[in-house]
Amino acid sequence: MSNIVDNAALYTVAVSEPSRAGGAPEDAKELRHHRQDGKGFRNPWDSWKDPSILRILRVILWRRLTGASPDTTPPTVPVHKPQFLTTRQTPQLRATWLGHACYLVEFPSGLRVLFDPVFTKRCSPFSWLGPSRYTEMPCEIEHIPSIDAVIISHNHYDHMSHPTILKIRELHPNASIFVPLGNRNWFTACGIHNVTELDWWEECDMRLSSVVSESDTIIARIGCLPCQHTSSRRLIDKNATLWASWSVESGGKKVWFGGDTGYRAVPELPDDVDDYGEEHNYPHCPAFKQIGDLRGPFDLGLIPIGAYNPRWFMSPMHANPFDSVNIFLDTKCKRALGMHWGTWVLTGEPVLEPPQLLRVALSRKNISEKGVFDVCDIGQSQEIVAVN
C-alpha cells in the first residue's frame, strides 16, 4: 500500500502515449465508429437507431402540451455529506456517489479518480436555464482531498461541466484529465493542457511519483472503451466528438465506468408490453460482451440505470434497468453500483423508479444476493469487498 503524501505540490505525474497494447476485437483497427468523411463519429451497430428530427419534435411538443413531468416533491433520494478518506491508505476499493454520473473512486493503491464531475445547480450552458437539481449537491470540489485523474465519458452538459473543470484546475492543477477522441481542444481552450485523448480500445499508463520518497509510486492503466451514445454541446456539432466508457486498473483492482449508454433500440410499443418478451428479440450492442471478454472481469462496474422514458425515443442512447443488468453481465463486473439517476429530471419516468426496476431486473436474472448490483444514497460511500 502506498504512503504517498496528498499535497499536490509533492508529487509528479507522467502519462504514457496511447496504444492498443491491450485486448481488442479483430475489427478494432477498421475504426468503423469513425465517419467515413473523417468528420466525427457514429455507433456502428444494428442496435443503434438515430432518432429523426420529427420524432424529437414530437417528444418536445408532447411535453409542452401535457406539462408532463415527474414529481420531485421531497423526499426523493437521500443526500449525505461524503466522508472521504483523509489519507491515501484504504484496504478496499471505495466508491462515493456524488450524484448523477459522478463517482469518486479511491483505490487501495492510493489512486483517486473522479468520473464525470458536474458540480453546478443546472446541467446546461446557462446558469439560469435548463434542468435544475431536485436533490442537493452533497459537497463542493473544495471538500475532495485528492483528485489524481478526471475521466470524462462525453461532452453532454450533464457529464462535462465548464465551471466544474475550471474549479478542478484551480484546486487540483496536477490532476490528469482523460477524454474520448476530439475533446482535447475544448480543454485547451479552457487553458488546461494535461489532457490525454484516447480512441476506443486505446489505453495508457499513468505514473504518480512522490518527490519525497522514490518508493512511493502509484501506477494506473486507463483504457478508453466503446459505449452506445451521442455527443454535442451545440446544435451544429452533433457527434463531432467521441463518447466512451472507461476502465481503470490500479493496485490489482479494476473498475469499469459505463458513462452514458444505451443497449438496444426499441420501437414504439404499448405501455403494457414488455420489450424483453420472447417476441421482441431486438439487436443489442455487442461491444459490452467484447469489453467483458477482452478487458474483464472488473471488480466494480459503475453502470447507468436512469433517464429512459419514453422508451421508444431514449432506448438507443440510455439504458433502462433491464438493459443495465445485461450490460453488467456482458462486461463481467463482479459488483456494480447504479448511476445516471436521482439528480436532474431529464426524462419521463418517476424519479424513484430506476432502483425499483433494477430489483425486478436482477430477479429476472436470478441475481438475489444483496450488494451484487446495488444503488446508494447521494454522498454515500461503498467499500467493494473482493468477490471470488
Side-chain angles (χ1 to χ4, degrees), residues 35 49 55 66-67 92 94 102 144 160 162 185-186 201 206 262 271 282 337 372 381 387:
R35 287 180 182 163
K49 302 294 182 185
R55 299 195 95 188
T66 62
Q92 303 289 349
R94 191 171 185 267
C102 182
I144 302 176
M160 191 169 86
H162 182 259
N185 288 345
W186 184 88
W201 300 107
M206 184 176 79
D271 290 342
Y282 305 117
L337 292 171
V372 173
S381 299
V387 177

Side-chain angles (χ1 to χ4, degrees), residues 98-354:
L98 299 176
H100 199 55
C102 182
Y103 267 92
L104 180 78
V105 177
E106 298 164 298
F107 286 77
S109 65
L111 183 71
R112 303 294 183 254
V113 180
L114 187 63
F115 294 93
D116 278 4
V118 180
F119 285 78
T120 54
K121 180 179 180 180
R122 298 183 186 274
C123 58
S124 164
F126 310 106
S127 62
W128 49 274
L129 182 67
S132 181
R133 289 178 183 262
Y134 63 86
T135 47
E136 295 295 322
M137 286 191 296
C139 67
E140 301 285 351
I141 293 292
E142 290 89 335
H143 301 141
I144 302 176
S146 303
I147 302 173
D148 302 316
V150 176
I151 291 181
I152 303 293
S153 65
H154 66 298
N155 70 357
H156 284 160
Y157 286 93
D158 56 326
H159 295 259
M160 191 169 86
S161 161
H162 182 259
T164 302
I165 291 297
L166 293 184
K167 195 65 176 180
I168 292 172
R169 179 189 65 176
E170 174 190 342
L171 297 175
H172 301 274
N174 285 351
S176 297
I177 298 175
F178 298 87
V179 299
L181 212 59
N183 287 285
R184 181 192 288 128
N185 288 345
W186 184 88
F187 284 86
T188 55
C190 297
I192 301 171
H193 301 281
N194 49 336
V195 180
T196 300
E197 190 178 73
L198 288 88
D199 200 353
W200 288 354
W201 300 107
E202 287 186 333
E203 60 185 12
C204 61
D205 292 328
M206 184 176 79
R207 185 182 184 90
L208 183 66
S209 303
S210 169
V211 299
V212 176
S213 172
E214 292 184 1
S215 62
D216 288 333
T217 300
I218 298 170
I219 298 174
R221 176 156 293 179
I222 296 174
C224 180
L225 297 166
C227 66
Q228 182 171 291
H229 200 56
T230 63
S231 69
S232 66
R233 287 180 79 81
R234 298 175 294 159
L235 293 175
I236 60 173
D237 68 345
K238 183 178 179 181
N239 296 347
T241 64
L242 188 58
W243 48 95
S245 66
W246 292 86
S247 64
V248 181
E249 183 175 6
S250 185
K253 298 295 182 181
K254 191 186 296 187
V255 172
W256 181 70
F257 174 68
D260 199 350
T261 188
Y263 188 65
R264 58 195 194 130
V266 175
E268 190 165 6
L269 299 169
D271 290 342
D272 60 347
V273 171
D274 177 9
D275 60 69
Y276 268 104
E278 291 183 2
E279 69 275 24
H280 300 299
N281 189 25
Y282 305 117
H284 64 272
C285 180
F288 301 106
K289 188 175 188 307
Q290 292 174 331
I291 290 169
D293 290 345
L294 297 168
R295 299 290 179 91
F298 298 93
D299 297 287
L300 173 65
L302 303 173
I303 301 178
I305 64 170
Y308 48 77
N309 275 349
R311 179 77 163 146
W312 59 265
F313 178 61
M314 300 306 301
S315 61
M317 64 194 84
H318 285 169
N320 76 359
F322 298 95
D323 299 327
S324 305
V325 171
N326 282 323
I327 291 171
F328 166 71
L329 295 171
D330 285 354
T331 52
K332 298 183 180 178
C333 293
K334 298 175 182 177
R335 291 189 58 187
L337 292 171
M339 63 176 192
H340 205 262
W341 73 285
T343 307
W344 291 286
V345 171
L346 302 177
T347 48
E349 73 273 5
V351 297
L352 293 178
E353 183 180 89

Side-chain angles (χ1 to χ4, degrees), residues 78-100:
V79 180
H80 309 279
K81 182 180 178 181
Q83 300 296 315
F84 301 116
L85 299 175
T86 56
T87 74
R88 291 183 181 268
Q89 298 188 26
T90 172
Q92 303 289 349
L93 192 65
R94 191 171 185 267
T96 304
W97 187 37
L98 299 176
H100 199 55

